[in-house]
């Protein structure tokens, strides 16, 4: 009975307020002045009165002079505006209203958030014509997120992500979420994403229990709109090519180089002068071939097509968003149609569909449901294990012809026909991979304001299933080569015929390659209430996670109970407290549950009375946070148990006639185990000045202790058993992040956007139970994670006298042209005690930055984004490019042109050629260390938005955009010969130019 009386009172009050109020009209626009349609407009203290913005951003609502309006935009930004007697208002969704989504339904805006969070909206990152959202984030558009490009064929290359650099001895990869649930973003297209949030400090990541210490990337998909119906179609066609394909010597130079290497090794020449002449003249191409394997195997251009069809809109009680995405890519195989009935081209295709629904089942019961499904297929010539580009780096131009004169694929005893790249792309047939994925989640919430004002409860279910299937349609083939055995007058007259391999039928194998199944369940209660100058937002929740990979010891269970509280006073003084209790089955029994507290606070100075006359400051907020986050990283399964394994055999019987395998003591059990722990501190500032310049500054410090390390550095080997793992590692990390972005219509029809992001992330190993070192400069402790150590080269030995009068290098017998090292300790010997630190790490740059610029005038515009990295090193160990001839590999042209010879002793960059493994030259040293810093033009786009006056004639097209887009067109770096991000013996990095069309209905 009391509930009905309360409801009637609220309804009567709202009706009375509506009757006494007048109509307020307004318009909602974004930061560039574009109308925001489908936004919800409510009265702050009376949610029964609502209005919705139209296509032009206009709305009309009944409100009194002293009311405050709450605008909730489709991009999830939110703003509260005081009417102060106005009957007409213009609401700009500015920086302070930008959304901050921590997950689990906790949504704030920049103006009220106390945590360190960076974000990017769809129009900021969706500029790369990418197959998935991961590759769209490479532009450096999110402050604090380091995204490094991957390599491989189109189907397989994926980037690596780091939040605030390297933080741990045990990996620093962040947690990747889609709509708050850990998921693989390979299957998520950029078009369906609304915002990307990077959660960085302890207070921002506390909700994620054991998984948030390395930072969190939360990708939030688009949702429906109120009172709107929109259809959007996009088509993008890309022309792709591979940048910086490696260059190798021709057959003649290879033969000359091999003879030179044999001479350096004290051997007789491999090729005679006559044979060298044949390589040079090409007179006998089947005996002395000169094959350009890259041009024979690959064409110069590939292509890709991306289609998106989106339906977005809804009414008051149901909102919807549906996206259909289709992708097709054709690779670079030169002759894929040499066989009847199938193609050997590198091909990739993906079809996906997503539907997000928001349903108001009643005025107090809401259902949010998301479902996404993907079918993906990738086809390649031969098997991935054939390592096509690895063969390109291995096989020299002089190895064998593409085919023999008799029509067999080329191959010999040194390099079999399965090293023949053309044969692998034409005669090996193909294999195919299929991936099927389903992602589904549902959140049901119930408003209990009738019981207590501001109280609600919710529950969430999520289920994901990803399965990959593999088909083998490869075949074997014969190969061979002819070799001259007799010559007359310098011409070959007799031959031997080598044949290997066999002709086989096409395989028809298939199997389930792998499968992942994940389940999430959560329940929670929210309390949101404002009384006078005070506001409270609290969440008490419990979450359960089940993750399973096919195989053994691959099932994980985690639970997290969290109490989160957000408090505000006069919208000026803000504080968050989060208390989390997490449990994981990965940890040792008795130590599986750990407590993580965090605290953060903010002061919005721009709301203080003394700031009201500071005209150039529109918004200014200072914030700080502290917290402890635990991790459930483990060094090995069952690390708390002692292990036993196979030992030496023992023999019994007469003359040891029988034997049996023995057992030996294995790794000792870890005792007094604890979870790895991160203690994080952060201070920051968010501001908007000069009507459009948004600034963000963050400084942070973290101590990551109790890291799992091997105790071998502190325990004598006399122990006789493998050492236990202990919680002894400590790494400190610190850094700064600076972001500045400007977006404004600076004159009529002239819009400007510009931005700069800069991240410095440093770290130092404080403890890792390092083994004793003879000299302090040898210690890894006190240096950054991944610090390179090597010998310092001081040149190359000129001659035997130079070798005799130099410190003795103990790695191998030295010869003229070998690398000469500095004696660091002055003992007259070069050995492991002369290793010093050099360069930086090869995993993640310490400095990561980007800057962008955009201009638009009357619909015609351009945008460009540059992104760079510094304090970053590469170790050049790529086969044949920097390790020629050893194990029958090729010779890179750059190495050949810069190798040591007696004639180039003063200018050489690399040691002498040798066909033998050289322990002196091929160890870590400064010759092979390169500065990996780079600056890339990540994206450039020229576009035209067709005017409304022109589109009006169509009567059904509301907006249209035509664009030309370039991706990774320029790279400025120090390596030059290979891409600095991906310099290994693998697929070169793609560059592309796209033509695109966007139509809105």
């Amino acid at each position: 009975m009391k509930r009905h009386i309360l409801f009637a009172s609220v309804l009567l009050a709202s009706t009375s307020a509506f009757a006494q109020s007048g109509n307020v009209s307004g318009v909602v626009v974004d930061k560039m002045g574009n109308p925001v349609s489908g936004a919800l407009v409510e009265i702050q203290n009376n949610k029964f009165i609502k209005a919705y913005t139209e296509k032009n951003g206009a709305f009309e609502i009944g409100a009194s002079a002293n009311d405050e309006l709450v605008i909730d935009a489709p991009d999830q930004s939110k703003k509260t505006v005081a009417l102060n007697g106005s009957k007409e208002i213009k609401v700009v969704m500015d920086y302070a209203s930008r959304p901050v989504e921590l997950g689990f339904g906790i949504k704030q805006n920049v103006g009220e958030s106390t945590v360190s969070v960076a974000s990017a909206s769809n129009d900021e990152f969706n500029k790369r014509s990418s197959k998935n959202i991961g590759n769209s984030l490479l532009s450096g558009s999110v402050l604090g997120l380091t995204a490094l490009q991957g390599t491989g064929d189109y189907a397989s290359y994926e980037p690596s992500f780091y939040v605030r650099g390297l933080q741990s001895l045990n990996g620093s990869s962040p947690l990747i979420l889609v709509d708050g649930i850990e998921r693989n973003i390979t299957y998520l297209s950029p078009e369906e994403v609304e915002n990307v949030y990077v959660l960085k400090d302890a207070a921002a990541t506390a909700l994620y229990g054991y998984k948030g210490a390395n930072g969190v990337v939360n990708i939030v998909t688009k949702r429906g709109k109120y009172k709107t119906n929109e259809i959007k179609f996009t088509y993008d066609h890309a022309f792709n090519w591979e940048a910086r394909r490696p260059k190798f010597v021709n057959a003649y130079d290879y033969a000359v180089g091999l003879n030179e290497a044999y001479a350096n090794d004290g051997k007789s020449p491999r090729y005679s002068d006559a044979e060298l002449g044949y390589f040079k003249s090409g007179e006998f191409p089947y005996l002395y071939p000169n094959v350009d394997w890259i041009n024979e195997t690959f064409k110069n251009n590939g292509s890709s097509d991306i289609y998106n069809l989106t339906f977005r809109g809804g009414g008051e009680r149901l909102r919807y968003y549906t996206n259909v995405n289709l992708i097709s890519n054709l690779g670079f195989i030169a002759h894929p149609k040499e066989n009847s009935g199938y193609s050997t081209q590198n091909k990739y295709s993906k079809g996906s569909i997503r539907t997000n629904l928001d349903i108001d089942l009643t005025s107090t019961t809401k259902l949010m449901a998301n479902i996404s499904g993907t079918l993906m297929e990738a086809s390649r010539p031969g098997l991935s294990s054939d390592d096509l580009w690895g063969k390109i780096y291995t096989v020299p131009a002089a190895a064998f012809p593409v085919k023999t004169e008799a029509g067999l694929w080329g191959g010999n005893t040194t390099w079999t026909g399965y090293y023949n790249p053309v044969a692998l792309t034409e005669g090996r047939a193909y294999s195919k991979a299929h991936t099927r994925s389903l992602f589904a989640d549902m959140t049901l919430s119930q408003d209990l304001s009738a019981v207590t004002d501001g109280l609600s409860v919710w529950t969430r279910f999520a289920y994901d299933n990803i399965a990959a299937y593999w088909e083998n349609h490869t075949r074997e083939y014969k190969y061979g080569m002819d070799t001259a055995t007799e010559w007359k007058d310098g011409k070959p007259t007799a031959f031997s015929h080598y044949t290997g391999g066999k002709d086989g039928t096409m395989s028809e194998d298939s199997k389930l390659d792998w499968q992942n199944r994940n389940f999430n369940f959560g329940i929670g209660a929210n309390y949101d209430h404002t009384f006078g100058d005070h506001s409270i937002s609290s969440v008490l929740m419990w979450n359960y996670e089940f993750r399973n990979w096919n195989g053994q010891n691959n099932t994980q269970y985690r639970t997290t109970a969290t109490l989160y509280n957000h408090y505000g006073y006069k919208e000026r003084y803000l504080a968050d407290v989060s208390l989390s209790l997490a449990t994981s089955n990965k940890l040792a029994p008795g130590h599986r549950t750990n407590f993580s507290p965090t605290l953060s606070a903010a002061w919005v100075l721009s709301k203080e009375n003394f700031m009201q006359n500071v005209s150039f400051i529109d918004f200014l907020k200072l914030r700080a946070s502290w917290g402890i986050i635990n991790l459930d990283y483990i060094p090995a399964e069952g690390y708390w148990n002692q292990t036993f394994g196979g030992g030496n055999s023992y023999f019994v019987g007469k003359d040891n006639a029988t034997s049996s395998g023995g057992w030996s003591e294995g790794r000792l059990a870890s005792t007094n185990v604890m979870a790895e722990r991160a203690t994080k501190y952060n201070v920051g500032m968010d501001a908007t000045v000069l009507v459009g310049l948004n600034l963000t500054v963050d400084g942070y410090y973290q101590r990551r202790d109790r890291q799992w390390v091997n105790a071998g550095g502190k325990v004598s080997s006399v122990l006789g058993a493998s050492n236990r793992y202990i919680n002894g590692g400590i790494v400190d990390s610190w850094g700064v992040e600076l972001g500045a972005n400007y977006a404004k219509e600076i004159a009529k029809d002239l819009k400007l956007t510009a931005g700069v992001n800069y991240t410095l992330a440093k770290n130092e190993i404080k403890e890792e139970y390092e083994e004793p070192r003879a000299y302090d400069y040898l210690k890894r402790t006190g240096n950054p994670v991944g610090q390179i150590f090597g010998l310092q080269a001081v040149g190359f030995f000129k001659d035997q006298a130079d070798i005799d009068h130099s410190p003795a290098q103990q790695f191998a017998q030295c010869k003229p042209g070998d690398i000469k090292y500095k004696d660091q300790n002055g003992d007259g010997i070069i050995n492991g005690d002369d290793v010093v630190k050099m360069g930086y790490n090869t995993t993640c740059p310490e400095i990561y930055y980007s800057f962008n610029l955009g201009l638009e005038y009357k619909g015609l515009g351009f945008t460009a984004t540059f992104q760079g990295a510094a304090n970053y090193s590469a170790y050049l160990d790529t086969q044949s490019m920097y390790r020629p001839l050893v194990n029958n590999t090729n010779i890179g042209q750059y190495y050949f042109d810069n190798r040591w010879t007696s004639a180039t002793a003063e200018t050489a960059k690399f040691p002498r050629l040798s066909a033998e493994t050289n322990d002196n030259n091929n160890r870590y040293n400064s010759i092979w260390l390169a500065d990996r810093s780079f600056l890339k033009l990540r994206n450039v786009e020229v576009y035209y938005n067709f005017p409304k006056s022109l589109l009006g004639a169509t009567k059904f097209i509301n907006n249209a955009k035509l664009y030309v887009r370039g991706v990774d067109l320029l790279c400025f770096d120090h390596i030059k010969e290979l891409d600095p991000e991906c310099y290994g013996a693998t697929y070169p990095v793609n560059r592309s130019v796209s033509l695109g069309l966007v139509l809105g209905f």
Side-chain angles (χ1 to χ4, degrees), residues 478-780:
K478 286 184 178 180
Y479 56 85
M481 185 176 178
D482 297 336
T483 304
T485 57
E486 296 181 12
W487 288 262
K488 184 177 182 180
D489 299 328
K491 306 292 184 182
T493 57
F495 312 92
S496 64
H497 305 281
Y498 169 78
T499 302
K502 62 180 180 180
D503 286 328
T505 58
M506 185 180 291
S507 299
E508 295 295 339
D509 301 333
S510 62
K511 65 175 182 178
L512 173 65
D513 207 12
W514 54 266
Q515 185 174 18
N516 295 348
R517 292 169 294 172
N518 308 317
F519 173 74
N520 288 265
F521 170 72
I523 55 174
N526 292 28
Y527 180 68
D528 300 285
H529 188 60
T530 299
F531 48 99
D533 293 330
H534 306 271
S535 62
I536 294 176
S537 179
S538 298
V539 181
L540 177 62
M541 62 181 177
W542 179 82
N543 288 280
Y544 166 81
E545 177 190 47
F546 165 90
R547 304 183 68 83
N548 174 263
W549 295 265
N550 57 315
Q552 294 181 334
N553 296 320
N554 285 331
T555 300
Q556 298 176 6
Y557 306 91
R558 293 185 180 97
T559 63
T560 306
T562 305
L563 173 62
Y564 167 84
N565 295 282
H566 174 79
Y567 169 75
Y569 177 66
K570 292 187 176 181
E571 299 182 337
R572 303 176 192 173
Y573 313 109
L574 309 164
D576 287 12
V577 176
S578 181
L579 307 174
S580 177
L581 197 65
T583 302
S584 171
N585 73 323
K586 297 178 66 177
L587 299 175
H591 302 271
R592 289 177 171 170
T593 300
N594 285 275
F595 175 64
S596 296
T598 69
L599 173 65
S600 59
W603 179 21
V604 186
L605 279 81
S606 54
K607 289 184 178 293
E608 296 287 359
N609 293 331
F610 62 81
M611 294 290 293
Q612 299 309 304
N613 294 325
V614 184
S615 59
F616 67 91
I617 295 180
D618 304 302
F619 169 69
L620 177 61
K621 180 185 69 178
L622 302 179
R623 49 184 166 75
S625 69
W626 165 88
I628 295 174
I629 306 294
N630 294 286
L631 295 85
D632 62 353
Y633 171 84
I634 61 174
E637 292 292 339
Y639 60 94
W640 55 85
N641 296 319
Q642 184 170 358
T643 62
F644 295 88
N648 295 326
S649 297
Y650 59 88
F651 301 89
V652 295
K654 185 178 181 181
D655 299 324
N656 295 330
T658 61
S659 66
S660 180
W663 283 83
S664 64
E665 188 177 25
R667 187 191 66 249
L668 297 175
S670 298
T671 57
N672 299 320
V673 295
M674 297 173 288
E676 184 175 336
R677 177 177 61 185
T679 304
K680 297 172 176 277
Y681 303 84
N682 194 97
V683 293
M685 178 198 77
D686 302 312
T688 299
V689 299
L690 303 175
V691 193
L693 178 59
N694 304 319
L695 303 173
T696 299
V697 179
D698 271 283
Y700 69 91
Y701 167 78
Q702 175 186 203
R703 166 150 288 196
R704 185 74 66 87
D705 62 355
R706 305 197 309 206
Q707 297 184 55
W708 287 104
V709 293
N710 192 295
K714 298 293 184 181
V715 180
S716 171
S717 59
V718 176
L719 181 66
S722 298
N723 287 290
R724 65 171 56 92
Y725 297 105
I726 56 175
N727 293 112
I730 302 174
V731 174
D732 285 353
S733 58
W734 64 94
V736 295
E737 297 161 349
L738 308 172
N741 292 278
Y742 185 78
K744 190 178 180 182
E745 187 172 15
I746 58 177
K748 182 175 174 55
D749 297 324
L750 180 60
K751 299 177 182 179
L752 169 67
T753 59
V756 177
N757 286 332
Y758 175 87
T759 298
L760 172 66
K762 299 183 72 67
N763 65 81
E764 181 182 341
I765 301 171
K766 292 296 186 179
E767 179 61 77
E768 61 173 339
Y769 276 52
E770 183 178 6
E771 64 187 45
R773 307 282 186 180
Y775 302 94
D776 286 343
Y777 62 79
L778 296 173
K779 291 181 179 178
R780 275 55 174 172

Side-chain angles (χ1 to χ4, degrees), residues 182-254:
E182 184 176 1
R183 281 170 170 162
N184 190 327
I185 59 175
T186 298
Y187 311 101
L188 190 64
S189 66
E191 183 63 33
E192 60 194 289
V193 176
E194 187 74 76
N195 293 300
V196 175
Y197 302 96
V198 177
L199 316 182
K200 295 179 284 190
D201 64 351
T205 63
L207 303 177
Y208 297 96
Y210 282 124
K211 302 190 296 182
N214 291 331
V216 177
V217 180
N218 188 17
I219 299 167
V220 177
T221 58
K222 294 178 180 178
R223 312 211 66 78
K225 292 184 174 184
Y226 289 95
K227 297 285 190 174
T228 306
N229 291 289
E230 298 175 351
I231 300 175
K232 180 181 177 183
F233 171 76
T234 66
Y235 169 67
D236 185 288
H237 178 79
F239 303 90
N240 305 318
W241 69 95
E242 293 176 321
R244 299 192 184 183
R245 284 177 171 174
K247 299 179 180 66
F248 301 102
V249 296
N250 60 34
Y252 172 75
D253 285 343
Y254 171 81

Side-chain angles (χ1 to χ4, degrees), residues 37 53 69 139 245 352 375 416 534 653 891 966 992:
S37 63
T53 58
L69 302 184
S139 60
R245 284 177 171 174
S352 65
L375 296 176
T416 72
H534 306 271
I891 306 176
S992 64

Side-chain angles (χ1 to χ4, degrees), residues 34 64 93 152 221 252 395 412 452 476 576 732 815 823 842 964:
N34 301 311
S64 62
M93 304 305 289
T221 58
Y252 172 75
V395 179
N412 53 39
T452 299
E476 295 179 307
D576 287 12
D732 285 353
K815 295 183 178 181
D823 184 4
T842 63
V964 179

